[in-house]
Each structure stands twice: as structure tokens, then as C-alpha cells.
Amino acid sequence: MDDEVFKALADPGRRRLLDSLNARNGQSLRELCAELDMTRQSVSKHLAVLEDARLITTLRRGREKLHHLNAEPINALADRWISRYDRERAQALADLKTALEAPGMNRDDTGDAFVYTTYIATTPEKLWRALTDPAFTRRYWGVEFGTDWKPGSQMTWAERGHATADPEQVVLESEPNRRLSYTWHTFTPEWAQAVGIGTQAMERLNAEQRSKVTFELTPMDGLVRLTVVHDGFEPGSAVRGMIQEGWPALLTALKSLLETGDVPPALAPGAGAPD
């Protein structure tokens, strides 16, 4: 996979596509062609290479196929290689990693959606259990969900010694082993105190509309492609800023747990999971 990523990044046309998506994520093929003044055929070929290298993720919106940056391969390259080379020689890779993780990434025309795709050596059944079973979620997330996982059912979030419930904290979609969606948790004074958030910051969080997260599970020849879409944010959302760094760490911890049976200490609950 490293070879595919390096090959994809080596072409200036493909880097231009990544730059365009970094500036405005969630673009259609037509939009990318118009912005970059490239032929439809050229853009399609470049997008195919980027998708094969997992540097972009595609999502359907009606009849349109929208293209989103995916930082997971860059994170993996940075973690594996940067420590082996001096910083100056690795600066181009580090700069690209920073650009992909910057606040400008993962945005679409409907708001400031966060989109992230990872590939896990597991089965859809095991991954579903890891997303829903408290015995798993507490190990990589530090959260336990109380719900029957039926659409419309309320959810209780238990973390850091506190349980949070709210009528709008609900399951939205639930197709076992395929798709799961629910609204994000309510920000309570108890939660704020547990995570070290001040009163003013909590009031700002609660003033925003409630966001939601969706998990899509796709089996792929011994792997499961997991795509996480966290959206429903207002422009300039404080919640969006909070989850930006948390999701990649949490999903890496999830992947490690399913593939090795353990979570690295640096990614243990409380060390970077989205709140």
C-alpha cells in the first residue's frame, strides 16, 4: 500500500486534485474538471489512482458522486517513515499530512463534514460488535452506549463516571453489519467538568445544532472498509474543531483492537478520542 500512496502523490496532476479537495472538499467530477481546467477523462483517471491508494473517499448524494480527502494513508505513512528520516527530508510528507488534517479538510457543500475511511482486517460482524457492544467500546473509546440500537431509540452515553441522556440523543439508522447512524451526545456540566471544559466553552457547544455520526461498513476480500461521516455542523463549529483530531486516533485504536487484540497506550481512552 505504501508504494501505491507514493505513486499517487508523485504525479503533479493528482497533487492538484488533492489541493483542490483540501480547499473545498466533497466535490463532484464536474466541479473538479471545471476548477482544474482538466479533461473529464484525465480527472477520472487521476481520481481512480487516488481512490485505489485510499487517498480519497467517495460518497453518493443523490445522483452525484462526491469526492472527499481521506487522511488515513498519510497518517500511516507519517507514523511509519518520518521517524526513520531526518525532518528536513521528510518535510514534504509532513506538510501534506498537516494540510490533510487542517481545519479546511473534510468539508462539503452542505457544511463542514468530517469524512474518514480506514480498512480493518476483520469481519463486518466483529466490527459491528466493536461499534455497539460496551465491552468493546469502553476499551478503545472509554464510552458505553445504553440502547437497543433500533432507529428512533434513545441512547445513554456513559463515560468518565457520568451518564448522559437526552430525548434528542437517539439512534437514526441501524442496519446490523452494514450501517449505523446516531446523533452526537449532549454537553452537560458533569461532562464538561470531567473533560476540563469551562462554562463559557460549554455554553458555546450547547448553542450549536446537534451533529450526527454515520458508520458505513463494506466487506472487501478479508477486510472491512469503514467510512465515518460526522456532519450536521454549523459554519465555524466548535464541536467540529473538537472532533477533528479525535476521530483519527479513535479509529486507529479501534483498528488496533480488532487486529491485535490490544490498544496502544498512547491511544487508550482519554488520550485523543473525540468528545
Side-chain angles (χ1 to χ4, degrees):
M1 179 52 64
D2 286 0
D3 289 344
E4 293 181 19
V5 176
F6 281 121
K7 176 182 176 182
L9 295 175
D11 185 271
R14 290 192 282 274
R15 293 200 298 272
R16 287 175 59 199
L17 282 169
L18 291 177
D19 286 340
S20 178
L21 290 174
N22 185 51
R24 185 168 65 87
N25 217 355
Q27 295 188 59
S28 66
L29 175 60
R30 173 182 52 80
E31 291 172 320
L32 288 168
C33 291
E35 182 169 331
L36 297 176
D37 192 26
M38 297 169 63
T39 67
R40 187 181 185 90
Q41 184 178 22
S42 295
V43 173
S44 295
K45 288 182 178 179
H46 285 318
L47 289 174
V49 174
L50 291 170
E51 190 167 4
D52 286 344
R54 304 175 184 173
L55 286 164
I56 63 172
T57 294
T58 59
L59 298 174
R60 287 282 180 181
R61 188 179 65 185
R63 294 186 177 182
E64 286 191 310
K65 185 160 112 173
L66 303 183
H67 302 82
H68 296 260
L69 281 172
N70 181 41
E72 195 271 343
I74 299 297
N75 287 330
L77 281 181
D79 292 341
R80 178 176 179 183
W81 292 105
I82 284 183
S83 61
R84 300 189 184 186
Y85 297 94
D86 63 84
R87 178 62 60 176
E88 183 177 354
R89 292 174 61 192
Q91 193 61 52
L93 180 59
D95 287 346
L96 180 56
K97 179 177 184 286
T98 300
L100 289 176
E101 293 180 341
M105 75 166 291
N106 296 315
R107 299 184 178 184
D108 63 18
D109 292 336
T110 62
D112 199 8
F114 177 88
V115 181
Y116 197 93
T117 297
T118 188
Y119 294 76
I120 305 175
T122 188
T123 65
E125 293 78 13
K126 289 180 180 178
L127 179 51
W128 179 267
R129 186 181 175 195
L131 293 172
T132 58
D133 188 336
F136 279 86
T137 58
R138 75 167 70 99
R139 291 190 62 188
Y140 67 90
W141 197 339
V143 175
E144 297 180 26
F145 299 107
T147 183
D148 59 11
W149 295 111
K150 295 180 180 179
S153 294
Q154 290 191 32
M155 300 175 65
T156 298
W157 290 50
E159 60 177 321
R160 305 177 193 244
H162 300 283
T164 304
D166 188 276
E168 295 183 9
Q169 200 170 279
V170 298
V171 178
L172 298 173
E173 300 177 67
S174 183
E175 299 178 46
N177 310 324
R178 295 183 58 189
R179 183 178 174 90
L180 179 66
S181 180
Y182 49 82
T183 56
W184 203 237
H185 69 80
T186 305
F187 303 105
T188 65
E190 294 79 12
W191 170 85
Q193 183 176 12
V195 300
I197 298 293
T199 301
Q200 188 173 14
M202 191 194 71
E203 290 176 351
R204 180 184 174 190
L205 295 174
N206 279 325
E208 297 182 11
Q209 64 188 24
R210 190 182 296 269
S211 61
K212 64 182 176 70
V213 62
T214 301
F215 304 88
E216 295 185 358
L217 291 66
T218 306
M220 297 184 66
D221 191 23
L223 300 173
V224 180
R225 182 179 68 195
L226 174 63
T227 297
V228 178
V229 180
H230 195 153
D231 59 5
F233 302 108
E234 301 174 357
S237 167
V239 179
R240 176 62 171 78
M242 290 176 60
I243 61 93
Q244 171 69 37
E245 298 298 330
W247 272 122
L250 188 150
L251 295 172
T252 301
L254 169 62
K255 177 180 171 72
S256 177
L257 178 61
L258 286 171
E259 293 184 345
T260 71
D262 202 3
V263 175
L267 299 177
D275 289 316

